Amino acid sequence: MVQNVVKLKLMTVRVLTPQNVEAYRALRLEALKTEPAAYTSSAEDFEIEPLEEVAKRLEAKDYGSFMLGAFREERLIGIANFVPETRVKVEHKGWVFGVYVTASERGKGVAKAMMLALLERVKTYPKIRQINIAVITSQVAAKRLYTSLGFEVWGLERNALKLGETFYDEEWLVLKIPRS
């Protein structure tokens, strides 16, 4: 399986392992607390999840789920997750979720580097023909990144998320993976 280590301007993008669990947990909590409308998970639910369970999700398997991390030196500054469907009728699909870059590193190509590494790895998955992602309509920069990579909007879900008394719409995007 391709390891997909990408180095760019003193930044490294690589697959996270259970040894990265504490850094991953801290950055994921930061994401959930600072951008709560962007994720279906809540900080409150994630905080009570046992560290051992979080570490299990960081165990990448060939052609299975994986989490990428972007590192500036040894500091985790970005995360992106991929989960392939496993049911027979939908095993041609996979999902990207939980993409986040810490505020001080935004605008420096971190998210793009992670997404390019993610796409490169997923293209080695023989069954995957399309990658889906959802983005809150107010997340303009995220949508711009995804569309620049070839994702196309295919749907809009009104009131997809509710945070307090506020509802958020979510656009659904897809990237087709051509196979010969």
Side-chain angles (χ1 to χ4, degrees):
M1 173 53 64
V2 176
Q3 287 301 311
N4 288 343
V5 174
V6 176
K7 292 187 177 189
L8 180 68
K9 295 181 183 175
L10 302 176
M11 177 183 60
T12 302
V13 176
R14 64 175 171 78
V15 175
L16 296 177
T17 68
Q19 288 73 32
N20 302 118
V21 69
E22 289 182 11
Y24 169 77
R25 183 186 194 108
L27 192 59
R28 178 73 173 151
L29 277 172
E30 176 186 315
L32 296 172
K33 288 178 179 179
T34 61
E35 304 284 345
Y39 305 101
T40 56
S41 299
S42 71
E44 296 80 15
D45 289 338
F46 188 69
E47 280 182 309
I48 62 172
E49 190 171 351
L51 198 59
E52 309 80 55
E53 292 300 314
V54 177
K56 284 181 188 177
R57 289 201 309 270
L58 295 178
E59 294 174 0
K61 295 178 178 66
D62 286 352
Y63 308 118
S65 299
F66 65 90
M67 295 186 191
L68 287 181
F71 292 83
R72 177 94 51 217
E73 296 174 6
E74 295 300 314
R75 186 172 72 99
L76 184 63
I77 60 172
I79 50 179
N81 306 285
F82 178 78
V83 176
E85 290 281 0
T86 57
R87 297 168 293 160
V88 173
K89 291 182 179 181
V90 290
E91 67 185 356
H92 64 286
K93 300 180 196 180
W95 294 89
V96 173
F97 69 94
V99 178
Y100 178 75
V101 175
T102 195
S104 64
E105 295 289 339
R106 292 181 189 161
K108 300 177 182 177
V110 177
K112 185 172 186 175
M114 287 191 304
M115 287 299 297
L116 288 171
L118 184 147
L119 295 174
E120 190 69 24
R121 183 178 174 105
V122 171
K123 286 177 182 175
T124 70
Y125 284 41
K127 294 181 181 179
I128 298 296
R129 299 292 185 269
Q130 70 184 53
I131 302 169
N132 297 303
I133 193 165
V135 62
I136 296 299
T137 55
S138 61
Q139 298 284 322
V140 177
K143 181 181 173 186
R144 188 177 325 117
L145 169 63
Y146 304 140
T147 57
S148 77
L149 295 171
F151 283 83
E152 297 177 350
V153 175
W154 64 264
L156 172 70
E157 183 179 359
R158 300 266 183 222
N159 300 327
L161 298 176
K162 182 177 180 246
L163 185 59
E165 296 304 313
T166 304
F167 288 93
Y168 295 87
D169 297 343
E170 197 168 52
E171 285 185 301
W172 293 79
L173 295 89
V174 64
L175 175 68
K176 301 289 185 179
I177 307 292
R179 300 289 179 186
S180 44

